[in-house]
Amino acid sequence: ERTVSAPVLRQYELFKKRFDAWLSDSARVHTLASAQVNIVDYLDVLLLRNANYGELEKSTAAVIFFTPGAARRHMPWVKRALRGCLKAKPPRSRLPLPDEVV
């Protein structure tokens, strides 16, 4: 049994709801057999929508969490897609806040 804290579960539910909306818009069925392909295609859509890497990871984790029998270690395409997304859009450091704001 996988457990997550209540705030993380609420986030996962939100990300899963967005994934389900995308599934219905693209007329796809989500099963364990199609999970890997669906997640990779969804990551591609999120990347085109300029999502940050954290959102990509959380979306992937949420879909895997709510898919019975799914495990990230059994999804090499998803791992490769996430690595590719990280290379395509590397994280950037933020500028420090000015002293007037702090």
Side-chain angles (χ1 to χ4, degrees):
E1 178 82 19
R2 298 176 288 189
T3 59
V4 295
S5 65
V8 172
L9 184 60
R10 283 194 297 276
Q11 276 188 331
Y12 277 8
E13 289 169 348
L14 176 68
F15 285 115
K16 178 70 164 84
K17 190 181 295 186
R18 291 178 188 167
F19 176 76
D20 290 338
W22 173 79
L23 278 178
S24 64
D25 288 346
S26 56
R28 292 175 180 238
V29 178
H30 186 67
T31 62
L32 182 58
S34 66
Q36 187 168 207
V37 174
N38 287 339
I39 293 170
V40 169
D41 289 345
Y42 184 61
L43 290 175
D44 190 38
V45 169
L46 289 178
L47 191 62
L48 291 174
R49 290 182 185 164
N50 230 4
N52 63 23
Y53 186 72
E55 186 176 345
L56 298 173
E57 271 192 322
K58 285 274 188 175
S59 297
T60 301
V63 173
I64 290 173
F65 182 81
F66 287 112
T67 304
R72 189 170 167 182
R73 68 181 174 273
H74 300 300
M75 298 187 176
W77 294 354
V78 173
K79 288 181 185 180
R80 187 177 305 155
L82 282 171
R83 277 196 311 257
C85 291
L86 189 59
K87 287 182 182 179
K89 191 175 180 189
R92 296 195 205 131
S93 60
R94 293 188 235 166
L95 294 173
L97 291 173
D99 289 332
E100 294 82 25
V101 175
V102 180

